[in-house]
Amino acid sequence: MMDFSSVTLHPEFPQKVWVIVEQPRNEPDRYSYDPVSKSFYRRAYKSVAYARGFSGVYGWVGGSGIPPEPHHDVFLFTNQSPSFGDILAGYICGVFIRQNNDHKFIAVDDEIRSVMVTADLSSLQTNLYDEMLRLYPRIDDGEGWHNAEIAFSHLLKNPLHD
């Protein structure tokens, strides 16, 4: 059983975060975390990230809350193959702002960050940038991708971090 209540924000938050893996890479089924049983379970539907060709992992920012309570969702570009509940470090590069306020953050791990000029969407390799854009092919009014500075401001205005 996994208890994530002891995970705190990364010491370099908001630039760097702990990513708790909820959706491993190359996993076609959608998984979620159940805080009562402290385990991950298969959902009845498919993973949107997998269907849209996202090669990394999906999860939430450790220390920002635990699903289904308020928390921050994050897509992490990584070449690693972590399992459910593994905790990886990620550099926040940007955010997809959504009308429903369920914003999705983008991060990269140490290996990918090491070849970037800066930890920002503008420095993502072209293939990763294109992959990111496929996550949300339809962008409604008031929605869109934003850089790291905007992402930091959204992470910091969460009441959990005041």
Side-chain angles (χ1 to χ4, degrees):
M1 293 204 203
M2 301 173 207
D3 183 3
F4 298 108
S5 60
S6 64
V7 177
T8 59
L9 295 173
H10 192 283
E12 297 174 42
F13 181 85
Q15 291 80 9
K16 204 166 180 184
V17 296
W18 298 120
V19 176
I20 299 174
V21 177
E22 182 175 28
Q23 189 71 34
R25 68 184 302 128
N26 300 320
E27 176 55 60
D29 294 319
R30 178 72 175 102
Y31 282 80
S32 290
Y33 180 70
D34 176 13
V36 175
S37 67
K38 296 181 175 132
S39 63
F40 292 88
Y41 64 96
R42 183 187 318 262
R43 303 290 299 264
Y45 46 93
K46 298 297 181 189
S47 165
V48 170
Y50 177 84
R52 294 183 181 159
F54 183 70
S55 64
V57 301
Y58 176 76
W60 73 89
V61 173
S64 75
I66 299 171
E69 299 301 319
H71 63 281
H72 291 304
D73 295 324
V74 60
F75 290 97
L76 176 70
F77 281 111
T78 180
N79 293 316
Q80 300 175 64
S81 294
S83 297
F84 301 101
D86 284 353
I87 301 174
L88 304 176
Y91 293 86
I92 293 293
C93 294
V95 61
F96 186 79
I97 301 296
R98 299 177 72 190
Q99 284 182 349
N100 64 3
N101 289 321
D102 186 17
H103 309 316
K104 305 297 182 188
F105 294 87
I106 289 285
V108 296
D109 71 0
D110 290 325
E111 177 189 0
I112 293 171
R113 172 64 184 97
S114 71
V115 298
M116 295 172 68
V117 175
T118 183
D120 192 83
L121 298 183
S122 62
S123 292
L124 278 176
Q125 296 170 351
T126 303
N127 64 318
L128 298 181
Y129 190 85
D130 292 344
E131 190 175 313
M132 177 194 76
L133 293 178
R134 286 194 306 269
L135 288 169
Y136 294 97
R138 190 182 96 216
I139 299 176
D140 294 325
D141 289 341
E143 295 185 333
W145 290 105
H146 297 274
N147 67 16
E149 288 299 321
I150 299 294
F152 300 156
S153 71
H154 280 276
L155 286 168
L156 288 169
K157 69 181 177 185
N158 180 319
L160 296 170
H161 310 143
D162 291 344

